[in-house]
């Protein structure tokens, strides 16, 4: 006698085959009658063909997708929460199952068939909401899922914005060990390593260690610091195995995400716990990677809660500094969990959190009010913290959903040798609601509240905040309406974000976007947006004593904040087009023009004498202005079933007023090329080459370099990989010294490492 589980496998496989048929119809429960099951049994081959086409979506839509590392099934159906669920796999559809399927007609098993249909009911309900468009088969590049553009599920082809997706397969095959290094493959993103644990990362210019016009999120949790409005990249880490994708939106995202999403938004999205059942372990070491290890285990509890826990650790060697020692070695450990629970088809609860701690070294040249006027400080800074997030979503109907999210984030960063430190607690609440009005209006709106409280340990005569403790409240509201002007062809999006905080009064950040899809293989879009960058503690309350320079005649410049400092403003115009002329080739091009006003500037005051030293105050103001414009291109080419090429090019012009900040840190040209080749069923080879223009004002020459990764999977559980990075020269410099904190930039070295991964 056959078990209900075996019948369920047959039923689900046939349902998927029918749901992915060329007519792209939805499946109803009535179509799963015993007679209909027999009639549909011949559609398995069609389902396999369509599933193969769907598997190309990530590859063509964002970069490439080689043979999977055993992390996800290629023929999954998206559940309501967006996670992949493997159904109709080869193991479930072997010859024995097909032969035994003929027994369905046996009257003695009518009861088992009824049980089968009952068990499949929930899956059929989900299948009935899936309507695979022709575009998913004809132009998979345009069908890659995104959620960051409009805070709701959409696709690249239906997004009136410049968006790029880094898939999990791209992450695994990159050989990168940090999030900033992953971002190098995206067009329009500037990434430069300052030392072993510090990066300058921005989108479309204004790059620097304290770049403050880019919003970074991890699973919807904002990780920028209100201290200076940027990101401490050394503590932004995730288990790469559990990342579903990274969405990169180039251009203002302020209409739905608010201040600091001025030049773009980067959202790291991890997998639902249901997609990470089983155990994963990796270990590795190399010339610069002294050692690293990660482990994760996922399971489902008796109560139906999907869980995972993970831990990771690494230690990295110091980089290179000609004529001296770099002192920038780095080590970090992290652990965390995620739980997902769906009590019914319409609701989803997520609880997750992590805890981390570590230290990193650096050399800082800081001022000294005695002779000589500067001194070198070898710093071993400590960073630790923890966070927790809760999110609940409710689906009232296919066109009516709402969600609420809350998180708490604590950070503690101490620079013992410099005598400076920051402790910060952040509480954030967010609500959003999506619904339709008639057949032509898709509306999403929401509100949010954030409280951030800090405690600063000042470093006298170097870096001081007054007051040394401050709590700031931020209130925000947004509304956006996507209007269908011509069905499946022309869409107009109107929306705005409204914010007010202790830093600024009421701010309005509107957008107007138009999307035209003349064919299923093309989409053309244009947008106007206004965005702001809110002041921070640095802009309001800081006093930094800088090193004397020949230009100051031995006097000490004083960088002084001003409570009158207002928000920076941006008016942005963008236009883009993306297309997939054939199954093998796709491209995405964007042009933009940014007009900045009220940018941060410095005004020099009268020098004054204090003791034996002369000081020149440089007060922050809003007299800066400028513009940037450029062009971005990404393209994918599938040469054979096993060989895919990806390339990205960025051209950027910046014309920013002198005297501002982060004005010389972005290259004019940058180019990225990658080849992904499956040598055999068990081995693959990935080669990435990149070129970066010089940063003359920072003393950085242009460079090109190459990364190579070779991987071998002896069986379905094990993978062994050898990686070489920055191979074309022994070392190269990517950024200049930081004049604000005195951090000395080091050289990136050629490196090799090996790793082993186990999945079961």
């Amino acid at each position: 006698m056959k078990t209900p589980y075996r019948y369920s496998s047959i039923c689900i496989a046939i349902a998927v085959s029918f749901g992915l048929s060329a007519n792209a119809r939805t499946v109803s429960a009535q179509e799963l009658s015993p007679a209909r099951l027999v009639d549909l049994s011949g559609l398995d081959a069609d389902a396999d063909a369509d599933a193969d086409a769907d598997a190309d979506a990530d590859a063509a839509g964002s970069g490439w997708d080689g043979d999977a590392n055993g992390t996800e099934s290629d023929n999954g159906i998206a559940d309501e929460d967006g996670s992949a669920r493997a159904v109709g796999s080869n193991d479930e559809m072997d010859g024995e199952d097909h032969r035994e399927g003929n027994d369905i007609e046996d009257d003695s098993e009518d009861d088992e068939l009824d049980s089968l249909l009952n068990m499949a009911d929930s899956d059929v309900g989900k299948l009935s909401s899936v309507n695979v468009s022709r575009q998913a088969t004809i132009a998979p590049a345009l069908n890659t899922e995104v959620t960051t553009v409009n805070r709701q599920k959409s696709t690249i082809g239906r997004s009136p914005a410049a968006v790029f997706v880094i898939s999990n397969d791209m992450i695994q095959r990159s050989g990168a060990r940090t999030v900033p290094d992953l971002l190098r493959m995206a067009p329009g993103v500037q990434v430069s390593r300052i030392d072993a644990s510090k990066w300058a990362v921005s989108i479309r210019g204004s790059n620097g260690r304290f770049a403050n016009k880019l919003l970074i999120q991890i699973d919807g949790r904002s990780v920028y610091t209100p201290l200076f409005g940027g990101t401490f990249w050394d503590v932004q880490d995730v288990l790469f195995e559990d990342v579903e994708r990274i969405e990169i939106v180039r251009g203002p995202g302020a209409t739905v995400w608010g201040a600091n999403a001025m030049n773009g938004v980067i959202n790291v999205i991890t997998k639902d716990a249901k997609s990470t059942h089983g155990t994963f372990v990796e270990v590795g070491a190399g010339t610069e990677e002294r050692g690293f290890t990660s482990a994760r285990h996922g399971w489902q509890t008796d109560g139906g809660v999907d869980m995972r826990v993970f831990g990771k650790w690494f230690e990295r060697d110091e980089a290179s500094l000609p004529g001296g020692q770099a002192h920038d070695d780095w080590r970090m450990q992290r652990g965390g969990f995620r739980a997902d629970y769906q009590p019914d088809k319409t609701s989803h609860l997520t609880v997750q959190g992590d805890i981390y701690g570590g230290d990193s070294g650096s050399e800082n040249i800081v001022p000294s009010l005695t002779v000589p006027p500067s001194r070198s400080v070898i710093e071993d800074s400590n960073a630790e913290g923890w966070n927790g997030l809760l999110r609940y979503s409710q689906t009232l109907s296919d066109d009516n959903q709402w969600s609420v999210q809350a998180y708490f984030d604590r950070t503690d960063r101490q620079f013992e040798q410099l005598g400076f430190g920051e402790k910060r607690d952040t509480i954030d609440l967010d609500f959003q609601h999506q619904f339709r009005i008639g057949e032509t209006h898709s509306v999403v709106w929401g509100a949010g509240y954030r409280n951030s409280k800090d405690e600063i340990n000042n470093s006298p005569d170097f870096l001081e905040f007054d007051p040394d403790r401050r709590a700031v409240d931020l209130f925000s509201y947004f509304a956006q309406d996507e209007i269908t002007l011509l069905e499946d062809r022309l869409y107009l999006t109107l929306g705005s974000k409204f914010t007010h905080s202790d830093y600024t009064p009421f701010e309005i950040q509107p957008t107007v976007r138009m999307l035209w899809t003349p064919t299923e293989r093309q989409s053309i879009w244009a947008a106007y947006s206004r965005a702001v960058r809110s002041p921070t503690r640095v802009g309001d309350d800081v006093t930094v004593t800088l090193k004397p320079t020949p230009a100051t005649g031995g006097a000490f410049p004083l960088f002084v904040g001003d409570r009158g400092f207002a928000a920076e403003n941006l008016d942005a115009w963008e236009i883009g087009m993306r297309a997939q002329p054939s199954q093998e080739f796709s491209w995405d091009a964007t042009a933009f023009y940014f007009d900045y006003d009220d940018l941060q500037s410095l005004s020099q005051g009268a020098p004054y004498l204090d003791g034996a030293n002369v000081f020149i105050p440089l007060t922050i103001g809003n007299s800066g202005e400028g513009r940037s414009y450029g062009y971005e291109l990404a393209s994918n080419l599938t040469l054979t079933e096993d060989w895919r090429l990806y390339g990205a090019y960025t051209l950027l012009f910046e014309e920013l007023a002198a005297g501002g900040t982060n004005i010389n840190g972005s290259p004019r040209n940058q180019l990225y090329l990658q080849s992904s080749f499956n040598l055999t069923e068990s081995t693959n080879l990935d080669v990435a080459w990149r070129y970066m223009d010089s940063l003359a004002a920072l003393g950085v020459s242009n460079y090109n370099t190459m990364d190579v990764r070779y991987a071998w999977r002896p069986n379905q559980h094990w993978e062994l990989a050898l990686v070489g990075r920055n191979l074309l020269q022994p070392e190269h410099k990517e950024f200049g010294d930081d004049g604000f904190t005195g951090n000395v930039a080091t050289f990136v070295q050629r490196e090799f490492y090996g790793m082993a991964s186990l999945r079961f």
Side-chain angles (χ1 to χ4, degrees), residues 295-586:
R296 181 259 294 146
H297 180 67
W299 74 100
Q300 186 178 70
T301 68
D302 293 339
V305 179
D306 294 291
M307 293 281 300
R308 72 164 174 259
V309 294
F310 78 92
K312 64 181 302 184
W313 164 89
F314 66 80
E315 181 173 355
R316 295 193 179 127
D317 195 10
E318 62 186 26
S320 171
L321 189 63
Q325 187 176 355
H327 302 289
D328 61 347
D329 52 326
W330 179 29
R331 59 203 57 82
M332 185 73 69
Q333 50 275 337
R334 178 180 299 264
F337 76 97
R338 174 165 173 163
D340 289 279
Y341 178 55
Q342 291 184 270
D344 52 50
K345 300 177 185 178
T346 64
S347 56
H348 189 162
L349 176 66
T350 298
V351 181
Q352 65 186 86
D354 63 348
I355 184 170
Y356 61 87
D359 58 83
S360 59
S362 65
E363 181 179 3
N364 299 269
I365 308 299
V366 300
S368 173
L369 300 186
T370 60
V371 177
S374 63
R375 60 191 176 97
S376 173
V377 176
I378 306 303
E379 178 64 69
D380 283 310
S381 63
N382 176 266
E384 58 186 39
W386 63 274
N387 60 78
L389 179 147
L390 183 148
R391 180 170 52 248
Y392 177 78
S393 60
Q394 181 77 49
T395 301
L396 305 178
S397 68
D398 289 343
D399 299 321
N400 193 340
Q401 303 95 28
W402 63 268
S403 65
V404 61
Q405 174 181 285
Y407 69 78
F408 175 81
D409 194 337
R410 167 167 290 178
T411 62
D412 186 350
R413 183 177 293 269
Q414 301 295 325
F415 301 84
E416 295 182 3
Q417 284 72 29
L418 292 173
F420 179 80
E422 179 208 16
K423 297 179 180 179
R424 181 173 298 277
D425 291 338
T426 300
I427 298 174
D428 186 278
L429 303 174
D430 183 84
F431 171 82
Q432 78 171 52
H433 181 206
Q434 175 192 348
F435 61 94
R436 294 191 68 86
I437 300 177
E439 296 296 324
T440 59
H441 293 266
S442 178
V443 178
V444 58
W445 70 277
Y449 167 75
R450 179 179 299 158
N451 174 273
S452 187
K453 178 174 62 175
D454 65 32
E455 178 183 340
I456 305 295
N457 296 325
N458 286 318
S459 176
D461 301 325
F462 173 46
L463 181 57
E464 301 177 82
F465 287 81
D466 183 21
D468 59 2
R469 300 188 182 197
R470 187 175 179 185
V472 175
D473 294 313
L474 170 67
F475 299 87
S476 62
Y477 326 88
F478 78 93
Q480 184 166 278
D481 184 12
E482 182 188 75
I483 306 168
T484 302
L485 302 179
L486 293 174
E487 185 175 0
D488 294 329
R489 286 292 179 265
L490 190 62
Y491 305 88
L492 173 66
T493 300
L494 304 173
S496 185
K497 184 86 168 185
F498 310 92
T499 62
H500 60 95
S501 71
D502 294 341
Y503 288 123
T504 62
F506 200 68
E507 298 284 354
I508 302 176
Q509 302 176 79
T511 191
V512 180
R513 296 177 180 270
M514 184 73 74
L515 174 70
W516 178 37
T517 56
T519 70
E520 293 170 314
R521 293 185 177 273
Q522 296 175 299
S523 65
I524 302 170
W525 61 274
Y528 163 78
S529 305
R530 182 181 183 273
V532 304
R533 201 276 295 182
S534 294
T536 61
R537 283 279 263 153
V538 166
D540 273 22
D541 304 323
V542 77
T543 298
V544 184
T545 304
L546 305 177
K547 297 177 300 181
T549 66
T552 64
F556 290 88
L558 282 181
F559 185 94
V560 182
D562 185 355
R563 286 291 179 99
F565 180 64
E568 299 177 320
N569 297 305
L570 167 66
D571 290 294
W573 289 265
E574 304 170 90
I575 187 170
M577 180 175 179
R578 51 181 66 96
Q580 186 169 5
S582 67
Q583 292 292 99
E584 296 76 27
F585 178 65
S586 65

